[in-house]
Amino acid sequence: MPLWLLGALVFLFGLCLGSFFNVVICRLPAGKSVAHPPSHCPQCQTPLRFYDNIPILSYFILRGKCRSCPERISFRYPLVEILTGVLFYALFQKHGFTPQFFTDLVFVSLLLVIAFIDLETFLIPDKLSLPGIVLGFTASFFTVRLTWTESLVGLLVGGGVLFFVAILYQYLRKQDGMGGGDIKLLAMIGAFLGTVGVVFTVLASSLMGTIFGVVTMLRSRRQAGTTMIPFGPFLSMGAILYLFWGEAMLNWYMGLFFSP
Ligand SMILES: [Zn+2]
């Protein structure tokens, strides 16, 4: 099979799986089954026809509205689908069909679902992060990025560093800054990416989170600390950034100091 066709199939597979992730993002925090009942409009409960459930296309054909009632369909649906498709395709370009490809497929899927659940509920479900920690560690035995000791150390650094920061923050500000969910997510990221990856993720996500926070604050003219911003989406973005460009960015950064 030609490579472009395989790439296209991986992209389509990502779109379809993204459609399923939307269901998980809706139902998992509510404790509902992700398998049953079949997709329906959350407002009028009308089951979706198969042709109203095609990734991306249906959203635009229906112009972002339910066929049976005036309920608007969240833009999150096509967004998650396209993000999943693009990330899967990019991983295929990077790794081909190798164990690392399948491992990273699981990793970015977890990051994506966790980011959107955190965005909507301010919670990171243990049901995703804890199995993610185990999967990341187990995968290190079959993949090339990390040895199992590197994965283990990454896991501990991810869990430990943020635990320490959370305690320090609590002590200084007398309020919870980072939730326990963020700490478990970072342990998962450490298990998949190792120590350098997890430290990079913390720095990159803090930077992005700070910029976003300042911009939001200026726009809403509110005082610092009054707007709640979930940290999970930034951690996910930081980890994905490292997955694709981490080494290149680190090499460039080190080159600034150690160039001949
Ligand atoms: Zn409806």
Side-chain angles (χ1 to χ4, degrees):
M1 206 186 280
L3 210 59
W4 65 267
L5 188 59
L6 277 177
L9 286 175
V10 168
F11 177 71
L12 283 177
F13 174 67
L15 290 186
C16 296
L17 220 56
S19 194
F20 169 70
F21 293 162
N22 275 313
V23 176
V24 177
I25 291 163
C26 269
R27 298 190 190 176
L28 192 90
K32 292 185 206 155
S33 159
V34 295
H36 191 83
S39 298
H40 55 269
C41 166
Q43 184 62 34
C44 66
Q45 311 299 328
T46 311
L48 293 187
R49 311 282 174 89
F50 75 91
Y51 51 79
D52 285 342
N53 209 4
I54 304 163
I56 316 277
L57 286 182
S58 291
Y59 179 85
F60 291 99
I61 291 170
L62 292 168
R63 292 162 193 265
K65 275 167 74 179
C66 171
R67 197 184 280 280
S68 319
C69 77
E71 176 81 352
R72 294 205 67 83
I73 304 168
S74 165
F75 186 68
R76 188 247 295 157
Y77 284 86
L79 182 64
V80 167
E81 286 159 359
I82 195 89
L83 279 174
T84 313
V86 168
L87 284 170
F88 279 22
Y89 178 78
L91 285 175
F92 173 70
Q93 288 292 319
K94 192 174 164 71
H95 297 303
F97 283 129
T98 57
Q100 193 70 66
F101 167 72
F102 293 103
T103 300
D104 288 353
L105 224 56
V106 175
F107 182 45
V108 297
S109 300
L110 283 168
L111 289 173
L112 212 68
V113 172
I114 285 173
F116 279 91
I117 288 181
D118 196 15
L119 211 56
E120 291 182 4
T121 65
F122 293 93
L123 284 171
I124 295 175
D126 288 350
K127 274 182 186 173
L128 296 173
S129 58
L130 295 183
I133 294 172
V134 178
L135 277 169
F137 177 65
T138 312
S140 68
F141 290 92
F142 307 99
T143 49
V144 289
R145 185 183 298 121
L146 302 173
T147 64
W148 70 267
T149 39
E150 286 169 334
S151 170
L152 186 64
V153 173
L155 187 171
L156 294 174
V157 169
V161 165
L162 214 68
F163 183 65
F164 178 74
V165 172
I167 301 232
L168 193 71
Y169 193 88
Q170 221 168 0
Y171 174 75
L172 292 174
R173 297 282 304 268
K174 308 264 186 277
Q175 69 183 65
D176 276 327
M178 235 165 304
D182 293 318
I183 294 168
K184 283 168 242 170
L185 172 57
L186 260 178
M188 177 187 112
I189 292 170
F192 277 98
L193 297 182
T195 307
V196 178
V198 81
V199 170
F200 177 97
T201 301
V202 172
L203 296 177
S205 55
S206 303
L207 187 66
M208 288 187 286
T210 305
I211 293 170
F212 182 82
V214 168
V215 171
T216 315
M217 222 173 66
L218 290 176
R219 287 186 61 179
S220 66
R221 294 167 189 283
R222 275 195 274 183
Q223 284 194 317
T226 53
T227 342
M228 242 200 12
I229 301 169
F231 198 44
F234 294 104
L235 289 174
S236 291
M237 280 194 283
I240 289 173
L241 205 62
Y242 180 80
L243 198 59
F244 288 103
W245 297 290
E247 258 175 52
M249 288 170 82
L250 285 176
N251 285 339
W252 167 81
Y253 186 73
M254 296 313 252
L256 293 180
F257 299 100
F258 301 113
S259 59

